[in-house]
Amino acid sequence: MGSGGAGWRLALVLLVLPVLPAGLGKPTARQERARPGTAQHEDRPGFQYDHEAFLGKEEARSFDQLSPEESRERLGKIVDRIDDNKDGYLTTEELKNWIKRVQKRYIYENVAKVWKDYDLNKDNKIAWEEYKQATYGYYLENPEEFQDATDQHSFKKMLPRDERRFKTADLDGDLAATREEFTAFLHPEEFEHMKNIVVLETLEDIDKNEDGFVDQDEYIADMFANEEGGPEPDWVITEREQFADFRDLNKDGKMDKEEIQHWILPQDYDHALAEARHLVYESDVDKDQKLTKEEVLDNWNMFVGSQATNYGEDLTRNHDEL
């Protein structure tokens, strides 16, 4: 579970909070930090990361319900769509562009899915007060139900943090988010003007001693809890080396905000390009740096899943083909 050549990926953990009939959302413990994910190709079941990058999470799950034959057939149709210049080959550039489109589609579909839960007055904007009411209204009006100190601390911390993020996303300062502004609020890692928020939230979550820095132990604790007290696994030892060699750039034993940004939002790393190169490398039998449809279909289970390769998720859902 190391950092490896594939680099860090950002994962936004977002639990959509239910809206009760009275319009008061009962909050649940959640984490909305855009944070570096530690999963690499070799650390996920089968080719799960590849499937999600190539198809998007929802689409990847739908393929897991298909027979191998159906998966191959649908993959063939997708290959035809990726081949922009219709020359019969998929280049790294074409695959990169496809993966970027898939990621963008996932983000905007996610926003569309939750929009109605927050746009309570149906004016096609989400005001901060609407979001606060839908998300925290139950907590604010029923504080006696949250006697647990951990719950109280979590909600008291999350509300001002959400407000800070909302106001940063709200570029025109009217305290009402357009769809684009709300997208920046939910997916700050995708927007240049939200990068400081991503860095600040990461720092706040990992910096347990609240000294304004992330030291090596805090960095490790965010990934691994040594509850049994035994020796650390090899990947943790590797991460300590990564911290010393590549995270702590000025070698003062800790990461400041600039170093955290370099870690989670590296300027020189394009995850879509890295994934495209990986798919080509693993499937390019004749080593001509591009893929034929036959090469893709011969290695189909790297690109898509099926009932034969799923990961135990028994999901049935209506599906609109890509």
Side-chain angles (χ1 to χ4, degrees):
M1 199 163 174
S3 292
W8 291 95
R9 279 108 179 181
L10 285 176
L12 182 65
V13 181
L14 174 62
L15 301 181
V16 177
L17 306 179
V19 177
L20 302 182
L24 300 179
K26 186 170 183 178
T28 56
R30 63 179 182 153
Q31 183 177 13
E32 273 195 8
R33 167 162 58 102
R35 65 185 297 274
T38 56
Q40 305 301 313
H41 290 291
E42 66 270 20
D43 301 319
R44 301 286 284 273
F47 299 114
Q48 185 180 353
Y49 178 82
D50 298 301
H51 296 173
E52 291 178 359
F54 184 72
L55 296 168
K57 285 188 178 182
E58 292 297 320
E59 194 69 18
R61 287 174 183 153
S62 75
F63 266 79
D64 288 345
Q65 308 310 307
L66 303 177
S67 70
E69 293 75 21
E70 289 173 313
S71 284
R72 282 173 54 92
E73 180 183 353
R74 295 234 315 251
L75 174 59
K77 294 177 181 177
I78 293 172
V79 168
D80 292 338
R81 294 190 60 187
I82 299 173
D83 181 15
D84 288 331
N85 63 4
K86 307 304 178 189
D87 67 350
Y89 295 96
L90 300 190
T91 63
T92 300
E93 184 71 13
E94 287 172 328
L95 276 166
K96 180 195 77 172
N97 292 339
W98 169 262
I99 292 168
K100 284 183 179 293
R101 287 198 299 271
V102 166
Q103 174 64 10
K104 185 170 289 188
R105 183 191 65 196
Y106 163 75
I107 289 169
Y108 285 98
E109 284 180 353
N110 172 252
V111 171
K113 192 181 299 182
V114 303
W115 183 267
K116 65 181 182 301
D117 293 335
Y118 298 117
D119 182 16
L120 302 181
N121 66 3
K122 310 303 178 190
D123 66 348
N124 210 31
K125 283 190 171 186
I126 295 174
W128 164 247
E129 288 301 321
E130 286 180 305
Y131 178 83
K132 184 172 75 171
Q133 180 72 2
T135 306
Y136 298 103
Y138 191 92
Y139 164 70
L140 293 172
E141 295 193 13
N142 301 274
E144 70 281 357
E145 292 194 24
F146 298 87
Q147 297 303 315
D148 182 272
T150 301
D151 282 348
Q152 286 188 357
H153 175 76
S154 294
F155 295 128
K156 286 179 180 177
K157 174 184 175 183
M158 287 191 306
L159 198 159
R161 181 152 124 169
D162 269 358
E163 184 172 12
R164 180 183 65 194
R165 189 198 281 196
F166 191 98
K167 288 180 176 178
T168 304
D170 178 28
L171 289 176
D172 61 9
D174 64 353
L175 289 180
T178 62
R179 283 189 182 257
E180 189 72 5
E181 289 171 336
F182 197 65
T183 302
F185 172 69
L186 291 185
H187 297 276
E189 75 284 359
E190 299 294 327
F191 291 81
E192 186 68 29
H193 68 281
M194 300 295 290
K195 285 186 175 179
N196 287 342
I197 285 289
V198 175
V199 171
L200 184 57
E201 290 182 5
T202 302
L203 173 62
E204 290 172 345
D205 284 340
I206 304 179
D207 176 24
K208 298 306 181 185
N209 65 9
E210 299 182 348
D211 67 349
F213 300 92
V214 172
D215 61 37
Q216 187 179 107
D217 288 337
E218 290 170 330
Y219 171 81
I220 294 299
D222 188 55
M223 313 172 200
F224 175 70
N226 195 355
E227 297 172 354
E228 299 177 2
E232 292 181 340
D234 288 345
W235 74 263
V236 174
I237 295 171
T238 299
E239 281 301 336
R240 289 193 181 277
E241 294 170 355
Q242 288 282 324
F243 182 92
D245 294 341
F246 302 110
R247 310 292 178 226
D248 178 19
L249 299 176
N250 62 7
K251 309 305 176 189
D252 65 353
K254 55 195 177 184
M255 285 193 291
D256 57 24
K257 289 180 183 177
E258 187 175 334
E259 289 167 321
I260 290 171
Q261 178 164 335
H262 188 269
W263 167 40
I264 63 173
L265 300 170
Q267 294 297 309
D268 57 351
Y269 183 74
D270 182 334
H271 79 88
L273 178 59
E275 178 63 15
R277 286 173 172 166
H278 168 72
L279 291 172
V280 171
Y281 177 81
E282 295 293 340
S283 308
D284 183 18
V285 175
D286 61 11
K287 302 304 176 187
D288 63 352
Q289 309 298 312
K290 53 189 176 183
L291 302 180
T292 62
K293 180 185 283 192
E294 182 180 9
E295 286 175 321
V296 173
L297 295 180
D298 283 347
N299 199 24
W300 67 273
N301 61 350
M302 169 166 276
F303 292 83
V304 299
S306 74
Q307 290 173 343
T309 59
N310 68 31
Y311 314 114
E313 289 199 57
D314 184 17
L315 300 174
T316 54
R317 57 191 282 271
N318 292 328
H319 167 70
D320 296 322
E321 188 158 325
L322 279 168

